[in-house]
Amino acid sequence: MELQLSTPALLFSAITLLMLAFTNRFLAIASLIRGLHKKFKDNPDEQLVVEQLHNLRRRLSLIKNMQLFGVFSFLLCIICMYLLFRGYTVAANWVFVGSMGSLLIALALSLIEIQISTKALNLELSDMEDVFAKRSSTLDTFFRKENKKE
């Protein structure tokens, strides 16, 4: 298959949208960290806040690496286009493979971060389960955990 100049150019919009999504995740986590930091200052012994802060630190590191590999993919895509423009097709093919590999790593890190964020939400919900277990509702037949196992 012959690599055309338009092929890496098509990745520009995809990479840009991914970078926007990664940045939005970063901003959301930064806001959460600021709120939890305030809670931690008020009550430093609360175990749930400490666990959440640890979780957010891991997610922040993953998002930083997602952004790093996304930017690296974007730069390699630009270099690939330049090489194609200059007529160095063999080198351009290898640089394009590197760009796609970097994008693949960014997406894999994104998947890991999504898994961790799901665990964080479950951690947040865990302290409310005791409250819901004590009360009863007409919807309990549909939403209680015991009935889902049947």
Side-chain angles (χ1 to χ4, degrees):
M1 179 182 134
E2 183 70 24
L3 188 63
Q4 300 291 322
L5 189 61
S6 61
T7 305
L10 287 174
L11 282 181
F12 270 52
S13 60
I15 294 171
T16 305
L17 288 174
L18 280 175
M19 292 301 296
L20 180 64
F22 296 163
T23 302
N24 285 339
R25 283 184 186 176
F26 175 79
L27 292 174
I29 287 178
S31 176
L32 283 173
I33 289 173
R34 287 184 184 103
L36 283 174
H37 184 263
K38 191 174 186 178
K39 274 187 183 178
F40 183 76
K41 288 264 190 186
D42 295 340
N43 189 5
D45 295 330
E46 189 175 344
Q47 184 62 28
L48 183 63
V49 173
V50 173
E51 289 178 29
Q52 288 174 330
L53 285 172
H54 177 69
N55 191 312
L56 288 172
R57 183 181 299 274
R58 287 181 55 209
R59 290 178 60 196
L60 197 58
S61 175
L62 282 171
I63 290 173
K64 177 190 71 164
N65 288 327
M66 288 164 31
Q67 290 176 325
L68 176 82
F69 281 104
V71 167
F72 190 62
S73 176
F74 196 63
L75 288 174
L76 287 177
C77 202
I78 292 170
I79 292 169
C80 176
M81 290 177 65
Y82 176 76
L83 291 172
L84 284 172
F85 181 73
R86 299 291 291 170
Y88 302 116
T89 56
V90 174
N93 287 335
W94 284 108
V95 171
F96 185 71
V97 167
S99 176
M100 294 297 287
S102 182
L103 186 59
L104 183 66
I105 292 170
L107 290 173
L109 290 173
S110 176
L111 183 63
I112 294 168
E113 193 272 332
I114 288 169
Q115 294 296 319
I116 292 173
S117 69
T118 303
K119 288 179 186 177
L121 289 175
N122 285 331
L123 182 66
E124 189 73 30
L125 290 173
S126 69
D127 66 339
M128 293 188 292
E129 286 180 348
D130 294 334
V131 174
F132 287 118
K134 293 176 184 174
R135 67 178 229 356
S136 63
S137 169
T138 56
L139 295 175
D140 285 346
T141 56
F142 300 110
F143 296 112
R144 280 227 186 242
K145 284 185 178 180
E146 296 82 23
N147 289 339
K148 284 187 174 183
K149 291 179 182 176
E150 293 178 28

